[in-house]
């Protein structure tokens, strides 16, 4: 997975070694204030292979057996690191296979299993809509400037992540273009070298797979109010979060004069 969202390596800031974990569990077990009841591992986000999940579950299952042998009442086993989704051409994990791998590695352990498939549930359920402001060509380089920006969807800028961008205009005449926002950063883009037709001011673009780590990572950078959120259920639309206003941005500021 991308280095920014890997968590299970020694160069990552998260977690402790197996040996340190044992010592911490013993410390908690012997404390009159603490009661260790669960165990958790997390090896990264956007996982598309079963083998690392199986290997991690096996290692932590072995640790769990040793903790149970020390009379610790471990009840919960949290399999951290969610199932990846398809952004472009990724072949993702089937939920059934994911469950079977975990159950196989936890054979003989009577525990409540917790998993974290958030991205798998909501990632491809969300679409970010943005409007074309204008187009620019510079030395054979084409740009489409839109009203959406890195503050709305930061994954392309932060992770160099790919999101499919779909126009609402049908045309066979397409050419490569960068879809960029109006923020004063060269890193402010939603897609690079995307094949798109000639578009007009006001045309809409749909940036797909924005349901996970889209709005949740949005910010007010460049004094930009965050966009509205609309849910579509049973072919009906309803506003679930209103668009922010400038008044919302300054609501917490205090006049000390």
């Amino acid at each position: 997975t991308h280095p920014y969202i890997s968590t299970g390596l020694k160069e990552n800031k998260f977690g402790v070694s197996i040996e340190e974990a044992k010592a911490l569990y013993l410390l908690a077990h012997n404390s009159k204030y603490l009661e260790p009841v669960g165990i958790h591992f997390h090896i990264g986000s956007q996982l598309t292979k079963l083998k690392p999940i199986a290997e991690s579950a096996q290692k932590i299952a072995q640790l769990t057996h040793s903790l149970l042998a020390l009379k610790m009442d471990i009840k919960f086993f949290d399999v951290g690191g969610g199932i990846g989704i398809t952004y472009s051409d990724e072949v993702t994990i089937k939920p059934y296979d994911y469950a079977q791998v975990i159950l196989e590695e936890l054979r003989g352990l009577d525990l409540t299993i917790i998993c974290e498939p958030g991205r798998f549930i909501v990632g491809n359920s969300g679409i970010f809509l943005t409007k074309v402001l204008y187009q620019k060509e510079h030395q054979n380089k084409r740009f489409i400037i839109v009203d959406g920006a890195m503050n709305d969807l930061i994954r392309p800028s932060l992770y160099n992540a790919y999101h499919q961008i779909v126009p609402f205009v049908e045309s066979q005449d397409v050419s490569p273009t960068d879809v960029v926002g109006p923020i004063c950063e060269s890193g402010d883009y939603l897609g690079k070298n995307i094949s798109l037709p000639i578009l007009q001011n006001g045309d809409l673009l749909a940036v797909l797979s924005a349901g996970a780590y889209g709005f949740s990572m949005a910010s007010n950078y460049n004094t930009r109010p965050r966009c509205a959120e609309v849910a579509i259920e049973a072919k009906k639309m309803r506003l679930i979060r209103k668009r922010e206003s400038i008044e919302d941005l300054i609501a917490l500021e205090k006049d000390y004069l």
Side-chain angles (χ1 to χ4, degrees), residues 20-38 63-75:
E20 289 175 290
K22 285 182 181 179
L24 289 170
Y25 272 97
L26 283 170
L27 183 67
H29 183 59
N30 293 325
S31 169
K32 64 180 181 179
Y33 303 107
L34 301 173
E35 181 184 1
V37 296
L63 173 59
T64 305
H65 278 293
S66 67
L67 298 179
L68 291 171
L70 293 171
K71 306 300 182 184
M72 297 188 201
D73 189 17
I74 304 298
K75 301 182 178 70

Side-chain angles (χ1 to χ4, degrees), residues 88-256:
S88 56
D89 56 1
E90 298 94 336
V91 178
T92 60
I93 299 168
K94 295 180 180 178
Y96 177 83
D97 296 337
Y98 171 79
Q100 293 307 306
V101 159
I102 294 169
L103 290 172
E104 178 62 29
E105 298 302 337
L106 299 189
R107 188 185 297 273
L109 288 171
D110 184 17
L111 301 170
T112 296
I113 301 172
I114 302 169
C115 58
E116 305 173 8
R119 186 198 306 256
F120 186 82
I121 294 171
V122 303
N124 281 325
S125 299
I127 296 172
F128 175 56
L129 290 183
T130 186
K131 183 171 63 177
V132 174
L133 298 178
Y134 55 94
Q135 297 182 74
K136 172 185 175 180
E137 290 195 19
H138 179 65
Q139 296 182 356
N140 298 321
K141 180 70 176 180
R142 180 179 170 221
F143 298 92
I144 293 177
I145 296 88
V146 296
D147 63 353
M150 60 187 288
N151 77 293
D152 301 302
L153 183 64
I154 199 172
R155 293 189 75 253
S157 296
L158 185 61
Y159 307 134
N160 195 27
Y162 171 83
H163 286 260
Q164 184 180 359
I165 300 178
V166 179
F168 282 65
V169 176
E170 292 187 10
S171 174
Q172 300 298 318
D173 185 15
V174 299
S175 61
T177 183
D178 288 2
V179 179
V180 301
I183 283 178
C184 54
E185 302 273 358
S186 294
D188 177 27
Y189 67 92
L190 300 176
K192 290 191 173 183
N193 294 315
I194 306 294
S195 294
L196 290 173
I198 298 298
L199 299 171
Q200 304 299 322
N201 296 5
D203 285 345
L204 294 178
L205 294 174
V207 185
L208 307 187
S209 307
Y213 308 105
F215 194 94
S216 61
M217 294 179 74
S219 73
N220 295 125
Y221 181 54
N222 262 206
T223 320
R224 287 174 53 85
R226 283 174 286 193
C227 60
E229 288 189 290
V230 176
I232 301 176
E233 299 173 297
K235 298 183 179 181
K236 293 183 179 180
M237 294 185 296
R238 62 187 179 92
L239 185 68
I240 58 175
R241 185 184 178 102
K242 75 178 183 69
R243 186 183 306 277
E244 286 181 343
S245 65
I246 295 298
E247 288 72 25
D248 293 326
L249 297 191
I250 63 175
L252 299 180
E253 295 182 11
K254 186 174 178 62
D255 184 0
Y256 287 99

Side-chain angles (χ1 to χ4, degrees), residues 42-95:
H42 195 295
I43 59 171
S45 189
Q46 181 58 13
L47 302 174
T48 58
K49 298 286 189 297
L50 279 172
K51 186 179 178 182
I53 298 171
E55 290 176 348
S56 301
Q58 182 184 65
K59 284 185 177 182
I60 306 306
Q62 291 171 354
L63 173 59
T64 305
H65 278 293
S66 67
L67 298 179
L68 291 171
L70 293 171
K71 306 300 182 184
M72 297 188 201
D73 189 17
I74 304 298
K75 301 182 178 70
F76 303 99
F77 191 100
D78 190 334
V79 182
I83 305 174
I85 64 171
T86 300
Y87 287 97
S88 56
D89 56 1
E90 298 94 336
V91 178
T92 60
I93 299 168
K94 295 180 180 178

